Every structure is written in structure tokens, then in C-alpha cells.
Amino acid sequence: MLRGTLVPVLTGIGLVLAYLLAGTVMVEQVFALPGLGSLLVDSVTFRDIPVVQAEALLIAALVCLAGLVTDLSQPLLDPRLRTASAAKAAAGSAAAVSPGRPADVREEEGR
């Protein structure tokens, strides 16, 4: 599987999910569906501020959660995106057991 191509695809999927969550208001109004979008429109119409605030917070939290899941899953798919300390630890353990390297080079890398 092409790991380098999965990261942009995953980012696109995360953005689409975030826009889907934010676009529920329009879809529910156009198709007359009951849900959080129509509740938000009714709350704005009747000036029910606490419900509007709660829904705005919920939608914002879901959009942030979609972005967080997308960002945290990217290093799992592409090893080039992992942190430098994890890469050094992996390289250090590989260098310590490599029989082709002289002992003084292994000692300098350990410092």
C-alpha cells in the first residue's frame, strides 16, 4: 500500500467530516429533518441563548475532535511523520546492534 498517499486522503476525509457536521443546519432545513440543525434554527428564532451556546459548543467540539483524530492517525500511517525522538530511539537501537559499524562510532552516537 502506498503510505505516502494515505496522509492527504485522510486529511481530506477529516475535512469533509468536519464540513458535514457544520452543514447539518442547512441540510435539515432544506429537507425538513428533525435534528440538531433544526433545533439550532428554532433556538435562534426563539432567542434561546443557552441552547444556541450549547449547540455551538457541541458542533465546535465535534469539528475539533475530527481534526484531532485525523492528526493523530497520520503518524500511524506514514512513519516519516513520527517525532524526532522516536526516530532517534529507533535508529539508536538499530545502530547499537549493527555489526558493520565500528565500536567508536556506536559510542559517539550514544552521547
Side-chain angles (χ1 to χ4, degrees):
M1 185 175 266
L2 300 173
R3 290 183 179 225
T5 59
L6 286 176
V7 173
V9 171
L10 181 68
T11 303
I13 290 171
L15 289 172
V16 166
L17 287 176
Y19 289 134
L20 272 173
L21 291 171
T24 58
V25 175
M26 185 180 0
V27 171
E28 289 178 8
Q29 286 302 305
V30 168
F31 295 109
L33 297 171
L36 291 177
S38 57
L39 176 64
L40 181 62
V41 170
D42 292 341
S43 300
V44 169
T45 302
F46 296 117
R47 296 183 182 177
D48 193 1
I49 302 300
V51 175
V52 173
Q53 288 176 337
E55 282 207 58
L57 181 65
L58 177 68
I59 291 172
L62 290 175
V63 168
C64 289
L65 183 66
L68 180 68
V69 168
T70 301
D71 288 343
L72 291 179
S73 62
Q74 286 178 355
L76 298 174
L77 296 174
D78 192 359
R80 296 175 295 174
L81 298 176
R82 295 190 181 134
T83 60
S85 61
K88 284 182 184 178
S93 63
V97 295
S98 176
R101 292 187 155 196
D104 59 336
V105 173
R106 282 187 235 148
E107 288 174 7
E108 287 180 14
E109 287 177 353
R111 290 185 208 166

